[in-house]
Amino acid sequence: MRYVFLLLKITLFILLLAFAMKNGQTVSLNLFQGHAWQTPLVVLLLVFFAVGTLFGLLASMVFVMRVRRELLSLKRELRNRNAAASPLTQPASDAVL
């Protein structure tokens, strides 16, 4: 299984390298106020992919933090319930003494 993943990674790398070599022409990204950024197409695609990935991770972090906060709250509530119930569940031999 390890070799299958290694073969898959190598194949993906070769395909991406071939894609980068085929799309080496310079493109111009026109920004506001007449500014333009001229760069190879591959670099522009890589930048937009990275920015999109960052936005996706940030968006998912909001959900993760909310779930983590809820989990901590539930653990705290469970701990409080167990602490409140433990004096009532002492063995009868301890209660007599």
Side-chain angles (χ1 to χ4, degrees):
M1 192 59 141
R2 188 171 136 186
Y3 294 114
V4 172
F5 282 125
L6 180 64
L7 181 64
L8 185 64
K9 288 179 184 179
I10 291 171
T11 304
L12 183 64
F13 176 77
I14 291 172
L15 286 173
L16 290 174
L17 182 66
F19 178 76
M21 292 176 67
K22 287 286 190 181
N23 292 297
Q25 59 270 36
T26 302
V27 294
S28 178
L29 178 65
N30 296 320
L31 304 170
F32 296 110
Q33 298 177 353
H35 295 286
W37 184 35
Q38 293 185 351
T39 186
L41 179 60
V42 170
V43 173
L44 192 64
L45 288 174
L46 180 63
V47 166
F48 278 100
F49 177 75
V51 169
T53 302
L54 283 175
F55 279 138
L57 287 173
L58 285 175
S60 68
M61 285 304 294
V62 171
F63 176 73
V64 168
M65 296 304 286
R66 184 181 311 137
V67 169
R68 185 173 288 176
R69 192 173 342 124
E70 183 180 353
L71 178 64
L72 288 174
S73 161
L74 291 173
K75 282 183 178 180
R76 192 176 314 118
E77 182 182 335
L78 182 61
R79 194 176 325 121
N80 290 340
R81 284 186 181 181
N82 286 340
S86 63
L88 299 176
T89 59
Q90 290 181 353
S93 62
D94 289 343
V96 173
L97 294 176

